[in-house]
Amino acid sequence: MGRRGCVTRSLLVLAASGVLLLLLLLLGLLSPPSSLYSESASVSSFLRVPLRALNDFPTQQQQQQQQQLIPEKSKSPCTTVGASRWVEGLPTLYVVTPTYPRAEQIPEITRTAQTLLNVPNVVWIVSEDADTPTPALTRYLNESALSSVYMRVQMPAQYQKVKNKPRGVANRMAGMNWVRENAKEGVLYFADDDNTYDIRLFEQMRWTERVSMFPVGLVTKLGVSTPIVREGRVVGFYDGWIAKRKFPVDMAGFAVNVAFLLQHPEASMPFKVGYEEDGFLLSLGIAAADIEPLAFNCTKIWVWHTQTKKNDPATSVTQNNATIGTNLDVIKDLLWKKPPGSRKEEEKKGKK
Ligand code: UGA
Ligand code: MN
């Protein structure tokens, strides 16, 4: 009897430890590898520009008021936007986005950022043409999981006055110079904030050896601007506005290898409306035959010159007893108002 009891007890202990072992094993299998997370976190914090000095944080009183309006369970998703990935061995993409304050800025930046969140090994250089940093923009970048760099560079005064401005040139060049100073390899791409990008394009362009090109949709009445490719070689260009350009392409239609860019320290973009792309590509000293056609020999359209309808600045919110103490207290500060004394809004877009 005593012996039998002892055997039963041993069997029970054995079974219990078996169950425990199985549980531990399952837990181990289910929990994600911690290295994935720490890796991407270290990459994003390494490149994130400290923006705290920008003084764009709400006052304590404002913060308290906002906290009261946000229910406890919905607070956490406000602190981070998506999850950027870093994969060992993939060339880095340096995406330079010129932007400027206007009603559509945050929507455009949100769209571009969330496209890039689907692309591994991206450094996003956001270069703002403004006289002071836009708090909503810097806040967005700080909250985003993307490895981003913020800089602010204004359009030179002499161009601000003219009707048809060379848009995004000074800030694009500043972004490019950051790449020159901080990278030795990888690929540079100029991505305007208002285009639409298919992420397959980024996967192909990151292997650019010198200069690659691809079609851009919604350009001119032809509906597309693309290199003409025969047997894997660029033999011409299909674009609605050739205008004696050697490279009649859109800004979104090419990518440049960083090592190749560094071999051309003089390469630059002219402040000449419509000729920015051509001038830049000429300054890189390439011939049409050197161009690497992507998107399956330019048979796919993976980027569009979408253009967004212009919206007027919001009229100011007038509050009354029924709205004070509601979400409108917060929403009113999210609406874009033209800062007093800011540059005259852009005229109707002419060319192209
Ligand atoms: C087209 C091309 O897509 C641009 O790459 C090119 O620079 C421009 O023409 C030109 O030739 O001037 P488009 O769509 O007509 O661009 O111009 P926008 O989208 O208004 O501006 C291009 C980029 O520059 C955008 O990312 C925009 O945010 C930025 N931008 C625009 C500024 O940084 N400052 C401005 O005053 C205006
Ligand atoms: Mn545009």
Side-chain angles (χ1 to χ4, degrees), residues 120-138:
N121 301 29
V122 165
V123 176
W124 191 29
I125 299 134
V126 179
S127 195
E128 189 179 30
D129 173 9
D131 50 15
T132 55
T134 300
L137 173 62
T138 54

Side-chain angles (χ1 to χ4, degrees), residues 129-238:
D129 173 9
D131 50 15
T132 55
T134 300
L137 173 62
T138 54
R139 202 178 308 132
Y140 186 92
L141 296 179
N142 273 336
E143 288 172 357
S144 165
L146 278 167
S147 303
S148 57
V149 174
Y150 172 85
M151 59 182 69
R152 188 187 60 78
V153 181
Q154 277 191 279
M155 183 186 288
Q158 73 259 40
Y159 302 115
Q160 290 184 24
K161 291 180 214 112
V162 299
K163 201 160 174 271
N164 208 0
K165 304 173 180 64
R167 295 179 286 271
V169 176
N171 38 342
R172 241 183 237 121
M173 283 302 91
M176 184 188 79
N177 289 336
W178 185 94
V179 176
R180 281 192 189 283
E181 284 156 24
N182 292 280
K184 288 195 165 56
E185 50 194 26
V187 167
L188 167 74
Y189 181 57
F190 295 121
D192 288 357
D193 60 359
D194 59 337
N195 294 335
T196 306
Y197 306 92
D198 185 314
I199 56 172
R200 287 172 285 188
L201 183 63
F202 297 107
E203 289 324 313
Q204 291 201 350
M205 75 163 75
R206 77 163 82 245
W207 302 103
T208 301
E209 288 172 3
R210 282 197 271 184
V211 176
S212 60
M213 288 194 185
F214 28 85
V216 182
L218 301 178
V219 176
T220 77
K221 62 179 191 313
L222 301 186
V224 69
S225 164
T226 180
I228 300 171
V229 181
R230 187 188 295 281
E231 289 165 6
R233 293 202 156 240
V234 174
V235 295
F237 294 92
Y238 183 75

Side-chain angles (χ1 to χ4, degrees), residues 97-100 102 127-129 155 164-169 171-172 191-195 250-252 272-277 305 307 310 343 346 349 351-352:
T97 296
T99 186
Y100 71 111
R102 62 209 194 273
S127 195
E128 189 179 30
D129 173 9
M155 183 186 288
N164 208 0
K165 304 173 180 64
R167 295 179 286 271
V169 176
N171 38 342
R172 241 183 237 121
D192 288 357
D193 60 359
D194 59 337
N195 294 335
D250 187 78
M251 196 63 74
K272 194 174 168 197
V273 181
Y275 293 85
E276 296 94 334
E277 300 89 346
H305 187 235
Q307 295 192 296
K310 280 221 165 296
R343 207 185 293 165
E346 265 192 281
K349 282 172 198 163
K351 60 118 236 175
K352 283 192 172 185

Side-chain angles (χ1 to χ4, degrees), residues 275-332:
Y275 293 85
E276 296 94 334
E277 300 89 346
D278 190 43
F280 179 65
L281 292 164
L282 284 172
S283 74
L284 284 173
I286 50 160
D290 298 333
I291 298 164
E292 301 147 49
L294 300 186
F296 297 101
N297 280 331
C298 298
T299 60
K300 308 259 184 210
I301 299 178
W302 278 341
V303 54
W304 292 265
H305 187 235
T306 321
Q307 295 192 296
T308 307
K309 173 188 149 299
K310 280 221 165 296
N311 295 271
D312 289 330
T315 51
S316 47
V317 177
T318 46
Q319 289 194 273
N320 55 36
N321 285 342
T323 66
I324 292 167
T326 69
N327 60 317
L328 286 193
D329 294 351
V330 181
I331 290 284
K332 71 175 188 328

